[in-house]
Amino acid sequence: MKTILTGLLSAFLCTATYAQKVTISFKGINQSRSYRVSVDGNSYSSDNAVNINNGNGDGAQRTLTLNNLSQGSHTIAIYNQANANGNQNQSLVYSNSFVLRSDYDMYIAFNGNWISFSEKILPVSNSDMGNLNSMSDYDFNLLVQEIKRNRYQSARVAAIKEAVTSTDRFTVNQLRQLLTLVTAESSRLELAKLSYNVIADTDNFSTLSTLFASQANRNELSSFIQARMNNNTTSGNSGANTNARVLLTVNQYNQLLQDLNYNAYQSGKYTILKDAFAKSTNAFTTAQVRQLLTTITSEPDRLYLAKLSYITVSDPTNFATLLTLFSTQASRGELNSYIISNGGTGGNIYVQTHVAMDNASFSQVLRNANNHFLPWDKVKDVREAFTNPQYYFTSEQARQLMAVVSGGNLLAVTESAKLELAKLSYSRIVDPLNFSQVINLFTDQASRDELNSYVKLQVQNN
């Protein structure tokens, strides 16, 4: 049975009963090849699919459209048939489940070697003044009461942030009530921007300006709204703002990297990136976002920043490649759902079986890192190795790379920098039970305890 790479979507289960559309496309398959698709036990044949050739170089494809599926969880299995006229010699090539969510159609593409799942949001009806998909009054009142139980403003901000980055939708009036629970205007502004993607009646979003006494904040909110409107006009529902945003120049981007590298504290790095992604004129490539996010060791912080960066990327179709930055399936699933809810195409959230780098390739990586004289150049090479999505290491290989930056007293690498690299390496290790080889490089007990705690947390999350 061939290995299938899936892009199954981590989605919120819905229980409504009306039907939605599922489209199954067989791409680039020889016309003599026959497949049987079983959805919830009902069989469909690729031979009955409509032949399509869109002329864009993708080649021929055959498409089945199913209109009789309700929202909720469904099973799918694909069988390779020896011929189109019978069920003889069938072999299972793929099976799993998928979820139909409210207001989304499902698109499944299959070419015999891989399968991908993506969603497209349905047009929002105007019959209810744009509020058709917003949270019910009952659920919203429960949410407000839950947030009010938090005595501290920081906890309220965190609770609202979690709510507006979920799959729920809110009206502008509901968001207004949430924002009035926060006193700091800077936090209100941040939350307002973050919530734009889950607002059902965005035409009313500008009315939130009355929540701000500062003219500067009102101006910033107005600029943000205009940028989003420009984005929706020029690029549909892609999630990226290529019209109002401009990619940083080489000098500007290098300055941002330098600011990150000079800041020794994770809290400082986090603030620098949050400000960079929140600036309404900044745009980044997905590759740049990856490089920036690798400076953040906390997975929850990295996840928040990844979501914040999505609107800034100039190539949103590549954004799902950032899923490999996260070691837990929960984080990958949350980011995947966020991408999809903002009109993008998700990726593979499931952990694959990885193979450590071969000895010859590893020797070259180790030699490159060793060839540097300055310690920060060595750190840069080792960090790039530990964040390269194509590289995986044994614990012994990771120990050797860590040893490159651990030795010497002249221009020594800081303990915090070494800890950061050790944490980064853990998600690329194929034998985590042997990770103690890396931990033992640290002679300071506080560092060993911190690294042990980090590993324990990753194990729990997985």
Side-chain angles (χ1 to χ4, degrees):
M1 180 171 61
K2 294 182 178 179
T3 301
I4 304 294
L5 296 178
T6 77
L8 269 179
L9 311 172
S10 170
F12 183 73
L13 289 176
C14 301
T15 57
T17 58
Y18 60 83
Q20 289 176 245
K21 184 171 69 174
V22 174
T23 301
I24 305 173
S25 296
F26 302 86
K27 296 186 174 184
I29 300 174
N30 185 290
Q31 295 302 307
S32 64
R33 185 76 60 84
S34 178
Y35 290 91
R36 180 171 68 87
V37 180
S38 174
V39 179
D40 298 334
N42 299 313
S43 292
Y44 308 88
S45 175
S46 63
D47 301 297
N48 297 325
V50 177
N51 287 289
I52 298 175
N53 194 327
N54 53 25
N56 63 2
D58 290 341
Q61 65 183 57
R62 292 173 287 169
T63 300
L64 285 171
T65 302
L66 312 181
N67 293 307
N68 59 344
L69 296 180
S70 61
Q71 295 170 30
S73 182
H74 301 272
T75 60
I76 182 172
I78 299 178
Y79 298 86
N80 185 6
Q81 294 185 151
N83 57 73
N85 300 316
N87 294 328
Q88 301 299 317
N89 300 323
Q90 295 184 13
S91 60
L92 178 68
V93 294
Y94 176 79
S95 66
N96 216 312
S97 60
F98 64 93
V99 174
L100 276 183
R101 297 195 295 158
S102 174
D103 307 313
Y104 289 86
D105 281 342
M106 177 68 74
Y107 290 78
I108 305 173
F110 177 67
N111 82 340
N113 294 314
W114 54 258
I115 189 168
S116 67
F117 291 69
S118 61
E119 293 176 308
K120 291 187 179 178
I121 191 168
L122 300 175
V124 178
S125 170
N126 292 325
S127 60
D128 193 26
M129 298 301 290
N131 300 335
L132 181 64
N133 303 314
S134 59
M135 182 182 286
S136 68
D137 289 341
Y138 176 78
D139 289 337
F140 179 72
N141 288 333
L142 289 179
L143 175 63
V144 170
Q145 293 305 314
E146 185 66 28
I147 294 173
K148 283 183 175 180
R149 291 192 183 99
N150 293 304
R151 295 175 54 192
Y152 299 104
Q153 284 288 304
S154 59
R156 290 190 176 190
V157 170
I160 296 173
K161 188 178 297 181
E162 181 178 356
V164 299
T165 54
S166 70
T167 55
D168 293 317
R169 289 194 177 192
F170 299 86
T171 66
V172 167
N173 283 335
Q174 287 174 334
L175 178 61
R176 175 183 292 275
Q177 293 181 59
L178 293 179
L179 295 181
T180 55
L181 301 177
V182 177
T183 56
E185 283 203 3
S186 58
S187 296
R188 282 186 182 180
L189 184 61
E190 176 191 354
L191 291 169
K193 291 179 179 179
L194 190 62
S195 65
Y196 187 88
N197 293 322
V198 294
I199 295 300
D201 54 337
T202 51
D203 288 345
N204 300 321
F205 201 80
S206 61
T207 63
L208 295 177
S209 62
T210 58
L211 289 174
F212 302 95
S214 165
Q215 184 62 47
N217 287 335
R218 291 197 295 270
N219 291 343
E220 186 169 346
L221 181 64
S222 178
S223 297
F224 172 81
I225 295 171
Q226 186 61 50
R228 292 307 302 265
M229 291 174 63
N230 290 341
N231 171 55
N232 290 337
T233 300
T234 59
S235 58
N237 217 8
S238 69
N241 191 341
T242 57
N243 185 53
R245 294 176 179 270
V246 179
L247 285 170
L248 272 63
T249 65
V250 173
N251 288 338
Q252 288 173 328
Y253 182 69
N254 287 340
Q255 182 62 54
L256 178 59
L257 285 178
Q258 185 175 333
D259 292 344
L260 285 171
N261 290 330
Y262 281 170
N263 201 303
Y265 300 100
Q266 281 290 303
S267 58
K269 295 177 188 289
Y270 174 87
T271 299
I272 291 171
L273 288 183
K274 185 176 73 169
D275 291 345
F277 293 146
K279 190 172 182 179
S280 59
T281 56
N282 283 353
F284 301 88
T285 65
T286 297
Q288 288 174 334
V289 172
R290 170 181 289 277
Q291 185 176 17
L292 296 173
L293 291 181
T294 54
T295 64
I296 304 298
T297 55
S298 164
E299 185 139 318
D301 287 345
R302 187 182 289 183
L303 179 60
Y304 170 73
L305 291 171
K307 292 178 181 178
L308 192 62
S309 73
Y310 184 62
I311 190 177
T312 73
V313 293
S314 59
D315 54 341
T317 55
N318 296 325
F319 197 80
T321 61
L322 299 184
L323 294 173
T324 58
L325 286 175
F326 300 92
S327 60
T328 69
Q329 186 171 313
S331 295
R332 293 191 295 271
E334 187 174 339
L335 181 58
N336 206 46
S337 294
Y338 183 82
I339 295 170
I340 293 163
S341 67
N342 284 280
T345 301
N348 179 27
I349 68 170
Y350 298 96
V351 176
Q352 305 295 321
T353 301
H354 301 299
V355 178
M357 182 178 291
D358 61 82
N359 289 335
S361 299
F362 175 73
S363 295
Q364 183 61 52
V365 171
L366 187 63
R367 185 160 49 249
N368 290 343
N370 263 318
N371 281 342
H372 293 294
F373 172 74
L374 297 175
W376 42 85
D377 289 332
K378 294 184 178 184
V379 168
K380 180 176 179 292
D381 264 24
V382 174
R383 180 187 290 116
E384 287 179 354
F386 287 154
T387 56
N388 189 318
Q390 305 300 320
Y391 290 176
Y392 289 90
F393 306 92
T394 65
S395 293
E396 171 57 22
Q397 288 174 334
R399 186 197 66 77
Q400 292 181 53
L401 281 174
M402 286 296 302
V404 172
V405 299
S406 297
N409 295 318
L410 183 64
L411 298 177
V413 175
T414 64
E415 191 79 355
S416 61
K418 288 188 288 186
L419 272 172
E420 175 193 348
L421 291 174
K423 291 175 181 178
L424 283 176
S425 74
Y426 185 75
S427 63
R428 321 305 300 172
I429 297 297
V430 298
D431 56 340
L433 293 179
N434 297 323
F435 194 70
S436 59
Q437 296 179 37
V438 176
I439 298 175
N440 290 339
L441 282 173
F442 293 86
T443 57
D444 180 68
Q445 188 59 46
S447 298
R448 294 163 65 94
D449 291 343
E450 182 177 342
L451 197 49
N452 272 313
S453 297
Y454 176 82
V455 170
K456 185 179 296 185
L457 181 62
Q458 303 312 304
V459 172
Q460 290 173 350
N461 289 338
N462 279 306

